[in-house]
Amino acid sequence: MCGRFALTATPDQTAAHLGLAELEEFPARYNIAPTQPVLMALAGPPRAPGSNLPDRQAMLVRWGLIPTWVKDTKAFPLLFNARSEGALDKASFKTAMRHLRALVPASGFYEWQQSGAAKGQPYWIRPKRGGVIAFAGLVETYAEPGGSEMDTGAILTTRANADIAHIHDRMPAVIEERDFARWLDCRTQEPRDVLDLLRPVEADFFEAIPVSDLVNKVANTGPEIQERGIVGPQPEKVRRQKPGADENQMTLF
């Protein structure tokens, strides 16, 4: 699962990693959440003969994919993740898998280790080598009833590798730079031809850093949410006692 991630690299660093010509200025984003706009890179139109311009284009999409056939968006679940194992056949994702595969630049992501009924310990999970990575993404352009169009997207997930499995059993699928062209090529590469790219990254690729519960609130968007921290046990709620009542006495009320 990937319900929060961050992109703190500069526009120049991000463009260089994705093979884009340039990107407009944008601030570091430390707590990107579903329904917010996210940057994705897709294959661009065919280049003219002799052109040395990049063949990829950037797009801002709403994080939460809406298939074209949805009639009532309010009644439709928020699809911010897509399980890679079923994306080829699942009605919600198979069109995007065939026509609009994308790269989602990120500096890392957050995951929560659950224990009992508590909210869980959040972790900031980043590549050990640092820098920008790219998650596998899907894009669908949804036509709203009023006629306007909205670009929407999801992040593909796969089973967790050894670095993450003790925290959560799912993780974003990371596309290696050498595989960018093959993943984005929807003209000659059928979905079944690129399923092998959705495997978990090798062990020791990521490091997981425990952080405070500041990341739990979408309103917290500063770098302090990535500082190391441990979430302590939740204090027990004090049961209010009626005046004059004996706590050892049984009651029907």
Side-chain angles (χ1 to χ4, degrees):
M1 185 173 177
C2 176
R4 301 283 178 85
F5 71 100
L7 177 59
T8 58
T10 67
D12 287 345
Q13 291 169 333
T14 304
H17 183 66
L18 297 178
L20 297 168
E22 60 181 355
L23 288 171
E24 295 183 3
E25 289 296 318
F26 58 79
R29 300 178 66 190
Y30 292 91
N31 198 4
I32 304 172
T35 73
Q36 294 180 354
V38 298
L39 176 67
M40 293 195 183
L42 298 88
R47 291 179 293 183
S51 172
N52 59 357
L53 293 175
D55 60 351
R56 295 169 194 162
Q57 59 186 8
M59 175 184 288
L60 275 180
V61 311
R62 177 241 197 204
W63 188 15
L65 188 142
I66 306 176
T68 56
W69 44 263
V70 171
K71 301 298 182 184
D72 183 2
T73 57
K74 293 182 179 180
F76 193 74
L78 184 62
L79 301 179
F80 54 89
N81 285 162
R83 292 178 68 94
S84 59
E85 296 87 347
L88 189 63
D89 302 311
K90 191 173 178 62
S92 298
F93 305 121
K94 63 181 182 181
T95 298
M97 274 291 290
R98 177 64 186 87
H99 298 290
L100 282 176
R101 299 190 294 267
L103 299 170
V104 186
S107 301
F109 66 102
Y110 302 95
E111 194 52 83
W112 282 257
Q113 184 181 46
Q114 300 299 328
S115 56
K119 291 184 178 180
Q121 170 66 55
Y123 284 82
W124 163 233
I125 301 171
R126 65 187 182 187
K128 285 186 176 180
R129 67 169 187 262
V132 188
I133 55 176
F135 300 146
L138 299 174
V139 174
E140 187 89 73
T141 300
Y142 178 73
E144 298 181 288
S148 61
E149 293 186 340
M150 174 172 56
D151 296 316
T152 69
I155 292 173
L156 284 151
T157 66
T158 185
R159 68 184 186 279
N161 69 359
D163 302 326
I164 313 299
H166 69 287
I167 301 172
H168 199 278
D169 62 354
R170 304 292 297 178
M171 66 187 297
V174 176
I175 303 296
E176 298 284 354
E177 190 171 1
R178 64 178 179 270
D179 297 318
F180 283 1
R182 186 155 72 95
W183 171 251
L184 294 176
D185 182 7
C186 296
R187 300 187 185 94
T188 66
Q189 298 290 313
E190 295 285 342
R192 62 177 179 272
D193 299 328
V194 295
L195 287 179
D196 63 295
L197 302 181
L198 302 178
R199 61 187 179 274
V201 292
E202 68 273 12
D204 295 327
F205 182 91
F206 283 118
E207 60 180 350
I209 302 167
V211 295
S212 75
D213 57 4
L214 287 174
V215 69
N216 293 2
K217 294 185 178 181
V218 178
N220 294 331
T221 59
E224 65 277 2
I225 69 174
Q226 293 181 354
E227 295 176 0
R228 185 178 294 271
I230 300 294
V231 176
Q234 299 294 315
E236 293 186 9
K237 293 183 178 180
V238 178
R239 188 178 62 180
R240 297 182 64 181
Q241 187 173 331
K242 294 181 180 180
D246 181 353
E247 64 178 6
N248 296 315
Q249 183 178 352
M250 293 171 49
T251 177
L252 295 176
F253 305 100

